[in-house]
Amino acid sequence: MLKILICFFFVSAAFAQRLPSPQGSYNKGSILFAQQLPLEGEGFMRLFRHRNRGFGSLEILNLIKRTALEMSLRYPMRDRMQLGDIAKMKGGRISRHSSHQNGLDVDIAYFRMNGMEQLPNIFDGFNEDMVINGKISENFDLERNWELMKALHRYGKVQRIFVDEVVKREVCHHAISIGEHDEHVEVLRSLRPFANHKHHMHIRIRCPDTARKCVAQEETAPGSGCELL
Ligand SMILES: [Zn+2]
């Protein structure tokens, strides 16, 4: 009898587990029962830890972990994925961002040729611009950043990746030069030129199917957008 009761207890506890639930929109939203990304894992590390903004949906956390693992296996001994803010524990408005409110956004520093990682708590912001005077920095690891963008699309419902306009132009030229433009139009299409993204890319995933109160953002126009640059 005791065994049955114990068993019943664990089964009920499992069913009662509350899964993260994004609510509202990216710019006016919140998240219920958010989960926290560890400070470090295989292939990633969190920056700005004192801000305590490592909370998000299962989908964004899984996307980060899977992509980071893949990139670390493919490019060992290089700089890991350096993550900025996701969201605060219950989501909602946070300083420095208009979005990052419903646990579906994350910032990632661009990969660097020199493999340097910044210290997680010393500097309150990404510490290296990759676009200087309208030109891409020599320290911008074009190949690895392109591979990262493709990997993100393989593992998650990525809708937008906000980048600097110069970064999109470089990535477009790279994809065209290695014959990957047509195969990866959707990846290129998701790259959205946006101010203040000289040092990091901002990943945004679509509302999870289970999150009925999540407000989706409109899809972007078809095509890679590379012809505009
Ligand atoms: Zn962001």
Side-chain angles (χ1 to χ4, degrees), residues 108-125:
I108 307 175
Y110 297 120
F111 282 133
R112 304 167 183 193
M113 293 298 287
N114 65 9
M116 292 284 285
E117 292 177 354
Q118 68 180 85
L119 295 170
N121 256 330
I122 301 281
F123 196 85
D124 198 20

Side-chain angles (χ1 to χ4, degrees), residues 4-221:
I4 292 171
L5 277 175
I6 291 171
C7 196
F8 177 75
F9 173 77
F10 280 112
V11 169
S12 328
F15 275 111
Q17 189 188 20
R18 292 168 167 180
L19 295 174
S21 178
Q23 316 268 308
S25 67
Y26 303 90
N27 292 319
K28 193 175 183 187
S30 60
I31 179 165
L32 294 174
F33 319 121
Q35 293 193 4
Q36 187 172 197
L37 188 72
L39 295 177
E40 296 185 67
E42 197 64 50
F44 73 86
M45 63 179 289
R46 278 175 47 203
L47 300 172
F48 329 137
R49 297 173 180 182
H50 57 287
R51 295 186 194 166
N52 203 22
R53 295 170 175 176
F55 295 89
S57 64
L58 275 181
E59 290 76 9
I60 198 94
L61 266 50
N62 287 337
L63 173 65
I64 292 165
K65 290 176 189 166
R66 286 175 168 183
T67 310
L69 176 62
E70 177 184 330
M71 295 303 292
S72 69
L73 291 172
R74 188 160 178 186
Y75 300 100
M77 311 299 288
R78 305 296 298 279
D79 46 330
R80 294 167 288 178
M81 270 169 49
Q82 301 184 77
L83 308 171
D85 295 336
I86 306 174
K88 64 180 179 181
M89 190 164 64
K90 294 183 179 176
R93 186 154 180 76
I94 50 177
S95 60
R96 298 166 183 263
H97 306 276
S98 55
S99 59
H100 286 263
Q101 294 200 19
N102 60 1
L104 300 171
D105 294 287
V106 62
D107 292 334
I108 307 175
Y110 297 120
F111 282 133
R112 304 167 183 193
M113 293 298 287
N114 65 9
M116 292 284 285
E117 292 177 354
Q118 68 180 85
L119 295 170
N121 256 330
I122 301 281
F123 196 85
D124 198 20
F126 295 102
N127 70 351
E128 184 173 349
D129 282 356
M130 289 292 168
V131 177
I132 302 158
N133 297 327
K135 291 196 173 135
I136 201 75
S137 163
E138 289 183 358
N139 203 24
F140 182 82
D141 191 332
L142 184 54
E143 178 193 326
R144 252 185 336 138
N145 283 307
W146 172 235
E147 293 302 320
L148 171 59
M149 291 163 182
K150 290 190 291 182
L152 287 162
H153 273 262
R154 274 198 294 283
Y155 287 128
K157 296 181 174 180
V158 174
Q159 187 185 39
R160 285 173 166 79
I161 301 177
F162 297 102
V163 295
D164 187 87
E165 183 179 9
V166 173
V167 169
K168 172 148 189 174
R169 192 173 69 211
E170 291 295 321
V171 170
C172 279
H173 289 168
H174 177 65
I176 291 166
S177 71
I178 60 174
E180 294 193 355
H181 173 276
D182 293 355
E183 184 186 347
H184 294 293
V185 165
E186 287 305 305
V187 179
L188 296 163
R189 174 189 176 202
S190 74
L191 302 182
R192 312 302 295 174
F194 211 81
N196 300 321
H197 289 81
K198 289 178 172 27
H199 32 53
H200 73 280
M201 58 178 96
H202 170 139
I203 315 302
R204 171 168 298 167
I205 62 172
R206 294 183 175 85
C207 288
D209 296 338
T210 51
R212 282 175 292 165
K213 291 188 178 171
C214 183
V215 177
Q217 191 172 7
E218 78 283 3
E219 295 295 330
T220 54

